[in-house]
Amino acid sequence: MSDFNFDFSFVKGGSPVVTLSAIGLAFNAGARSMLEYPDKVDIGYDEKANVIGVRTHDESSNAPCYDFESRVKDNWIRISMRDFMKYLSQRTGIDFLSKAIQFIPEMDDKSGMLIVIVDEEHAKK
């Protein structure tokens, strides 16, 4: 029975959450843990599916990256992207500009990406 890898701080931190607001994205400790606390991340968007994908920065990629773990404050990481958030709110019809909305992300083991599906069904209620 030693095949388990328990994270004893996970339960207290609550479920993994990515918050969308007028300012940008915010990742709690659970979401950061799912990404395994990378120094930098790449953030992509699937426009057809309205899905945000976050992965550890790929050094071979030309995609712009964002500093991640160095930005921790009060156990959260916030990444500012106001213009994108306005666009995303308009595309999805979800108003997270006037009040932040939390989403429970999923980990895609195949791609190693944290997936945030931006629709009413995946919003934390």
Side-chain angles (χ1 to χ4, degrees):
M1 283 281 226
S2 63
D3 293 341
F4 299 105
N5 184 18
F6 292 102
D7 177 350
F8 289 98
S9 63
F10 190 87
V11 175
K12 185 176 181 178
S15 68
V17 168
V18 176
T19 302
L20 278 64
S21 71
I23 297 169
L25 301 173
F27 302 81
N28 77 347
R32 293 172 39 231
S33 172
M34 290 173 78
L35 285 165
E36 299 179 354
Y37 308 102
D39 292 330
K40 296 177 183 280
V41 295
D42 298 328
I43 300 176
Y45 174 59
D46 181 325
E47 190 171 19
K48 189 173 183 181
N50 286 323
V51 174
I52 297 169
V54 183
R55 68 178 180 195
T56 298
H57 176 58
D58 178 357
E59 294 292 336
S60 67
S61 168
N62 291 333
C65 64
Y66 298 86
D67 289 334
F68 201 68
E69 279 301 309
S70 64
R71 301 176 58 100
V72 175
K73 184 176 180 185
D74 298 327
N75 227 8
W76 284 80
I77 292 174
R78 290 164 181 80
I79 298 176
S80 179
M81 49 182 65
R82 291 177 192 267
D83 288 341
F84 173 70
M85 300 315 285
K86 289 176 190 173
Y87 174 77
L88 185 60
S89 179
Q90 183 181 36
R91 286 253 329 137
T92 62
I94 300 173
D95 180 19
F96 45 78
L97 300 178
S98 58
K99 183 181 179 199
I101 298 177
Q102 295 184 328
F103 291 82
I104 298 180
E106 301 170 10
M107 193 66 186
D108 179 31
D109 293 328
K110 185 177 175 184
S111 68
M113 223 179 288
L114 187 75
I115 303 295
V116 181
I117 302 169
V118 185
D119 64 15
E120 295 287 346
E121 181 181 332
H122 289 87
K124 186 177 172 188
K125 297 180 171 83

